[in-house]
Amino acid sequence: MVTHTAQLPKVLESMATIRFQDCDPFNHLNNARYIDYFINAREDQVLKNYGLDIYDLALTTGAGWVVGKSQIAYFRPAKLMEQVVIQSQLIGFGKRDLTVELRMLDADLTHVKSFLWINFVHFRIATGRSEIHSENMQHLFEQVHAPINEPDFDARFMHLSSAPKRQEN
């Protein structure tokens, strides 16, 4: 995990290609597969940008994160072989949980295709109970926390659906 005090990015970004096996008969990304694309992107982004390997951490500490709840909205279809940009940011955190927003946009960053709010609960595998984050994790979360202005998912939906320009957060 990154331990230096250099400025860490708060909004992470990566590209993905929409694959044939993930599409419906209309050549649109299947609605259930959006979550897979989002989760895979976030895992890769935190490893690349923060040096945080969540699987190694779970193996070495016996604790990790599980999904507590999620909300997703769809604006425009992602299409077969389309290049999309997936952005993610930590919009909230507590002693035992994290809330991450993920957005899928077209390659030009002009249209949001979908966005997801996902709440992760820090979880001790051996006990089957939630657990308080370590001081190191809390420090990382403080550094990369990028709150948004909208107070809830529906307000965020309205904001993103009415914003025609480039979406950064």
Side-chain angles (χ1 to χ4, degrees):
M1 183 172 67
V2 174
T3 57
H4 58 79
T5 57
Q7 184 70 23
L8 295 174
K10 293 184 178 198
V11 176
L12 307 181
E13 188 172 286
S14 57
M15 298 287 294
T17 302
I18 305 304
R19 300 296 178 182
F20 173 79
Q21 70 269 11
D22 302 323
C23 291
D24 63 20
F26 303 108
N27 288 328
H28 297 158
L29 182 60
N30 180 285
N31 65 317
R33 299 293 292 166
Y34 279 82
I35 296 172
D36 294 333
Y37 278 73
F38 282 135
I39 294 293
N40 290 337
R42 181 67 180 177
E43 291 170 0
D44 293 344
Q45 291 168 353
V46 297
L47 179 59
K48 179 183 175 186
N49 290 278
Y50 306 148
L52 180 59
D53 183 334
I54 60 171
Y55 300 108
D56 183 59
L57 191 65
L59 287 174
T60 58
T61 67
W65 291 270
V66 296
V67 174
K69 65 180 177 178
S70 61
Q71 290 179 281
I72 191 167
Y74 307 95
F75 298 112
R76 297 171 181 257
K79 297 176 183 171
L80 176 62
M81 296 308 295
E82 181 179 3
Q83 291 281 310
V84 296
V85 175
I86 299 176
Q87 298 174 337
S88 70
Q89 69 193 73
L90 179 66
I91 62 171
F93 67 97
K95 290 182 179 183
R96 297 174 184 265
D97 71 317
L98 307 169
T99 301
V100 176
E101 179 178 278
L102 299 109
R103 296 174 299 278
M104 182 182 289
L105 299 97
D106 63 2
D108 296 328
L109 303 175
T110 55
H111 296 98
V112 177
K113 294 180 170 291
S114 178
F115 83 104
L116 169 71
W117 277 12
I118 192 161
N119 177 262
F120 295 98
V121 177
H122 195 232
F123 185 82
R124 171 77 42 197
I125 298 163
T127 65
R129 298 189 182 276
S130 68
E131 181 167 296
I132 294 174
H133 291 121
S134 69
E135 276 188 46
N136 286 343
M137 285 291 117
Q138 284 286 113
H139 181 67
L140 174 64
F141 303 151
E142 289 166 4
Q143 285 183 291
V144 302
H145 183 221
I148 56 174
N149 293 326
E150 295 75 30
D152 58 46
F153 187 83
D154 290 334
R156 187 64 168 166
F157 176 89
M158 293 305 295
H159 171 76
L160 292 175
S161 66
S162 65
K165 303 281 188 231
R166 179 180 167 104
Q167 296 296 316
E168 292 185 4
N169 61 19

